[in-house]
mmCIF file of all heavy atoms in Angstrom:
data_model
loop_
_atom_site.group_PDB
_atom_site.id
_atom_site.type_symbol
_atom_site.label_atom_id
_atom_site.label_comp_id
_atom_site.label_asym_id
_atom_site.label_seq_id
_atom_site.Cartn_x
_atom_site.Cartn_y
_atom_site.Cartn_z
ATOM 1 N N ILE A 228 -20.013 168.643 1.518
ATOM 2 C CA ILE A 228 -18.868 169.326 2.091
ATOM 3 C C ILE A 228 -17.679 168.371 2.054
ATOM 4 O O ILE A 228 -17.149 167.959 3.057
ATOM 5 C CB ILE A 228 -19.130 169.872 3.517
ATOM 6 C CG1 ILE A 228 -20.135 169.002 4.255
ATOM 7 C CG2 ILE A 228 -19.609 171.282 3.475
ATOM 8 C CD1 ILE A 228 -20.393 169.477 5.679
ATOM 9 N N GLU A 229 -17.286 168.003 0.857
ATOM 10 C CA GLU A 229 -16.192 167.063 0.690
ATOM 11 C C GLU A 229 -14.863 167.769 1.004
ATOM 12 O O GLU A 229 -14.748 168.978 0.866
ATOM 13 C CB GLU A 229 -16.184 166.495 -0.732
ATOM 14 C CG GLU A 229 -16.221 167.580 -1.785
ATOM 15 C CD GLU A 229 -15.462 167.194 -3.030
ATOM 16 O OE1 GLU A 229 -15.272 166.000 -3.243
ATOM 17 O OE2 GLU A 229 -15.052 168.083 -3.767
ATOM 18 N N PRO A 230 -13.872 166.977 1.444
ATOM 19 C CA PRO A 230 -12.629 167.608 1.921
ATOM 20 C C PRO A 230 -11.794 168.304 0.858
ATOM 21 O O PRO A 230 -10.835 168.967 1.222
ATOM 22 C CB PRO A 230 -11.864 166.420 2.522
ATOM 23 C CG PRO A 230 -12.879 165.377 2.804
ATOM 24 C CD PRO A 230 -13.914 165.540 1.737
ATOM 25 N N THR A 231 -12.133 168.215 -0.425
ATOM 26 C CA THR A 231 -11.379 169.003 -1.416
ATOM 27 C C THR A 231 -11.429 170.478 -1.046
ATOM 28 O O THR A 231 -10.456 171.195 -1.165
ATOM 29 C CB THR A 231 -11.971 168.829 -2.835
ATOM 30 O OG1 THR A 231 -12.191 167.449 -3.065
ATOM 31 C CG2 THR A 231 -11.028 169.389 -3.888
ATOM 32 N N ILE A 232 -12.615 170.900 -0.558
ATOM 33 C CA ILE A 232 -12.784 172.298 -0.147
ATOM 34 C C ILE A 232 -11.792 172.637 0.955
ATOM 35 O O ILE A 232 -11.264 173.749 1.000
ATOM 36 C CB ILE A 232 -14.212 172.542 0.369
ATOM 37 C CG1 ILE A 232 -15.219 172.078 -0.641
ATOM 38 C CG2 ILE A 232 -14.390 173.999 0.761
ATOM 39 C CD1 ILE A 232 -15.974 173.147 -1.306
ATOM 40 N N ALA A 233 -11.557 171.676 1.849
ATOM 41 C CA ALA A 233 -10.610 171.917 2.937
ATOM 42 C C ALA A 233 -9.216 172.162 2.364
ATOM 43 O O ALA A 233 -8.486 173.052 2.838
ATOM 44 C CB ALA A 233 -10.590 170.739 3.908
ATOM 45 N N ALA A 234 -8.847 171.371 1.333
ATOM 46 C CA ALA A 234 -7.531 171.571 0.710
ATOM 47 C C ALA A 234 -7.459 172.938 0.042
ATOM 48 O O ALA A 234 -6.493 173.688 0.218
ATOM 49 C CB ALA A 234 -7.267 170.463 -0.306
ATOM 50 N N VAL A 235 -8.521 173.309 -0.704
ATOM 51 C CA VAL A 235 -8.546 174.613 -1.364
ATOM 52 C C VAL A 235 -8.478 175.720 -0.304
ATOM 53 O O VAL A 235 -7.707 176.680 -0.439
ATOM 54 C CB VAL A 235 -9.825 174.784 -2.206
ATOM 55 C CG1 VAL A 235 -9.812 176.122 -2.918
ATOM 56 C CG2 VAL A 235 -9.970 173.658 -3.189
ATOM 57 N N SER A 236 -9.288 175.569 0.767
ATOM 58 C CA SER A 236 -9.302 176.574 1.825
ATOM 59 C C SER A 236 -7.924 176.734 2.427
ATOM 60 O O SER A 236 -7.458 177.848 2.659
ATOM 61 C CB SER A 236 -10.284 176.184 2.923
ATOM 62 O OG SER A 236 -11.577 176.058 2.390
ATOM 63 N N THR A 237 -7.267 175.601 2.715
ATOM 64 C CA THR A 237 -5.946 175.665 3.334
ATOM 65 C C THR A 237 -4.975 176.400 2.409
ATOM 66 O O THR A 237 -4.199 177.250 2.864
ATOM 67 C CB THR A 237 -5.428 174.252 3.625
ATOM 68 O OG1 THR A 237 -6.426 173.572 4.384
ATOM 69 C CG2 THR A 237 -4.140 174.294 4.411
ATOM 70 N N LEU A 238 -5.059 176.113 1.103
ATOM 71 C CA LEU A 238 -4.173 176.802 0.161
ATOM 72 C C LEU A 238 -4.445 178.307 0.165
ATOM 73 O O LEU A 238 -3.510 179.112 0.163
ATOM 74 C CB LEU A 238 -4.347 176.230 -1.245
ATOM 75 C CG LEU A 238 -3.815 174.807 -1.443
ATOM 76 C CD1 LEU A 238 -4.218 174.270 -2.806
ATOM 77 C CD2 LEU A 238 -2.298 174.764 -1.287
ATOM 78 N N THR A 239 -5.727 178.706 0.217
ATOM 79 C CA THR A 239 -6.007 180.148 0.209
ATOM 80 C C THR A 239 -5.571 180.785 1.530
ATOM 81 O O THR A 239 -5.118 181.923 1.537
ATOM 82 C CB THR A 239 -7.500 180.457 -0.051
ATOM 83 O OG1 THR A 239 -8.275 179.932 1.023
ATOM 84 C CG2 THR A 239 -7.980 179.875 -1.343
ATOM 85 N N ILE A 240 -5.698 180.024 2.638
ATOM 86 C CA ILE A 240 -5.245 180.576 3.921
ATOM 87 C C ILE A 240 -3.732 180.805 3.878
ATOM 88 O O ILE A 240 -3.228 181.840 4.302
ATOM 89 C CB ILE A 240 -5.616 179.648 5.086
ATOM 90 C CG1 ILE A 240 -7.125 179.615 5.285
ATOM 91 C CG2 ILE A 240 -4.936 180.097 6.385
ATOM 92 C CD1 ILE A 240 -7.611 178.510 6.211
ATOM 93 N N VAL A 241 -3.001 179.830 3.321
ATOM 94 C CA VAL A 241 -1.548 179.960 3.227
ATOM 95 C C VAL A 241 -1.176 181.148 2.337
ATOM 96 O O VAL A 241 -0.310 181.955 2.687
ATOM 97 C CB VAL A 241 -0.920 178.657 2.691
ATOM 98 C CG1 VAL A 241 0.552 178.850 2.364
ATOM 99 C CG2 VAL A 241 -1.094 177.539 3.717
ATOM 100 N N LEU A 242 -1.890 181.287 1.217
ATOM 101 C CA LEU A 242 -1.637 182.428 0.322
ATOM 102 C C LEU A 242 -1.898 183.742 1.044
ATOM 103 O O LEU A 242 -1.080 184.669 1.003
ATOM 104 C CB LEU A 242 -2.536 182.318 -0.919
ATOM 105 C CG LEU A 242 -2.408 183.469 -1.912
ATOM 106 C CD1 LEU A 242 -1.099 183.358 -2.678
ATOM 107 C CD2 LEU A 242 -3.573 183.486 -2.886
ATOM 108 N N THR A 243 -3.052 183.824 1.755
ATOM 109 C CA THR A 243 -3.383 185.044 2.494
ATOM 110 C C THR A 243 -2.319 185.346 3.531
ATOM 111 O O THR A 243 -1.883 186.487 3.691
ATOM 112 C CB THR A 243 -4.746 184.885 3.193
ATOM 113 O OG1 THR A 243 -5.683 184.402 2.239
ATOM 114 C CG2 THR A 243 -5.218 186.198 3.749
ATOM 115 N N ALA A 244 -1.891 184.305 4.259
ATOM 116 C CA ALA A 244 -0.890 184.503 5.306
ATOM 117 C C ALA A 244 0.412 185.020 4.692
ATOM 118 O O ALA A 244 1.033 185.944 5.242
ATOM 119 C CB ALA A 244 -0.636 183.194 6.049
ATOM 120 N N ALA A 245 0.795 184.488 3.531
ATOM 121 C CA ALA A 245 2.026 184.935 2.879
ATOM 122 C C ALA A 245 1.903 186.405 2.476
ATOM 123 O O ALA A 245 2.818 187.210 2.696
ATOM 124 C CB ALA A 245 2.324 184.068 1.660
ATOM 125 N N LEU A 246 0.729 186.773 1.916
ATOM 126 C CA LEU A 246 0.523 188.169 1.501
ATOM 127 C C LEU A 246 0.512 189.089 2.716
ATOM 128 O O LEU A 246 1.079 190.181 2.678
ATOM 129 C CB LEU A 246 -0.777 188.304 0.710
ATOM 130 C CG LEU A 246 -0.817 187.614 -0.647
ATOM 131 C CD1 LEU A 246 -2.178 187.759 -1.287
ATOM 132 C CD2 LEU A 246 0.253 188.181 -1.564
ATOM 133 N N LEU A 247 -0.148 188.652 3.798
ATOM 134 C CA LEU A 247 -0.198 189.472 5.012
ATOM 135 C C LEU A 247 1.190 189.686 5.577
ATOM 136 O O LEU A 247 1.540 190.775 6.049
ATOM 137 C CB LEU A 247 -1.049 188.786 6.070
ATOM 138 C CG LEU A 247 -2.532 189.064 6.078
ATOM 139 C CD1 LEU A 247 -3.173 188.335 7.230
ATOM 140 C CD2 LEU A 247 -2.765 190.563 6.222
ATOM 141 N N PHE A 248 2.001 188.618 5.540
ATOM 142 C CA PHE A 248 3.351 188.718 6.061
ATOM 143 C C PHE A 248 4.151 189.727 5.238
ATOM 144 O O PHE A 248 4.871 190.564 5.808
ATOM 145 C CB PHE A 248 4.019 187.349 6.055
ATOM 146 C CG PHE A 248 5.336 187.317 6.757
ATOM 147 C CD1 PHE A 248 5.401 187.528 8.131
ATOM 148 C CD2 PHE A 248 6.513 187.101 6.057
ATOM 149 C CE1 PHE A 248 6.612 187.526 8.785
ATOM 150 C CE2 PHE A 248 7.730 187.088 6.707
ATOM 151 C CZ PHE A 248 7.788 187.297 8.074
ATOM 152 N N SER A 249 3.979 189.709 3.912
ATOM 153 C CA SER A 249 4.655 190.697 3.081
ATOM 154 C C SER A 249 4.185 192.102 3.438
ATOM 155 O O SER A 249 4.990 193.031 3.532
ATOM 156 C CB SER A 249 4.381 190.465 1.598
ATOM 157 O OG SER A 249 4.158 189.114 1.342
#
Side-chain angles (χ1 to χ4, degrees):
Chain A
I228 30 178
E229 51 148 22
T231 313
I232 307 250
V235 182
S236 300
T237 307
L238 291 172
T239 64
I240 292 168
V241 170
L242 178 74
T243 311
L246 293 177
L247 271 182
F248 188 66
S249 331

